[in-house]
Amino acid sequence: MTHVRDELLAVLRCPVTKASLVQDGDELVSTVAGPEGRPLRYRIADDIPLLILPEKLTDTAAPAGPGAPAGPADPATPETTDVP
């Protein structure tokens, strides 16, 4: 089980409710109920709290391992730049 340091927990907030978070196993849990009336839960992956709602995470957006090249979120969509 990953342990999030107390110093980090003191500054992290739920991106939806803006409430503080507490650790419950390998998840962080909002101390205030979200829009659906229940506390929101966030995964901790590779010692990094993922403050993204689980339904917004997809298998294709799974975190890459160390040293993996960064690329566009959707490999089928090329990156664009605003160069004149």
Side-chain angles (χ1 to χ4, degrees):
M1 176 178 86
T2 300
H3 176 71
V4 177
R5 293 188 337 218
D6 292 336
E7 298 87 0
L8 183 57
L9 277 175
V11 297
L12 288 178
R13 295 289 178 261
C14 172
V16 176
T17 66
K18 310 300 185 227
S20 59
L21 298 163
V22 294
Q23 186 166 358
D24 181 17
D26 285 334
E27 295 181 313
L28 295 181
V29 183
S30 175
T31 57
V32 172
E36 295 180 4
R38 58 183 170 76
L40 299 169
R41 304 181 77 82
Y42 301 95
R43 272 188 338 159
I44 301 170
D46 297 323
D47 297 330
I48 300 170
L50 302 177
L51 298 182
I52 300 170
L53 294 174
E55 58 268 16
K56 300 293 182 185
L57 291 173
T58 63
D59 289 336
T60 59
D74 181 1
T77 305
E79 291 186 49
T80 59
T81 58
D82 293 330
V83 178

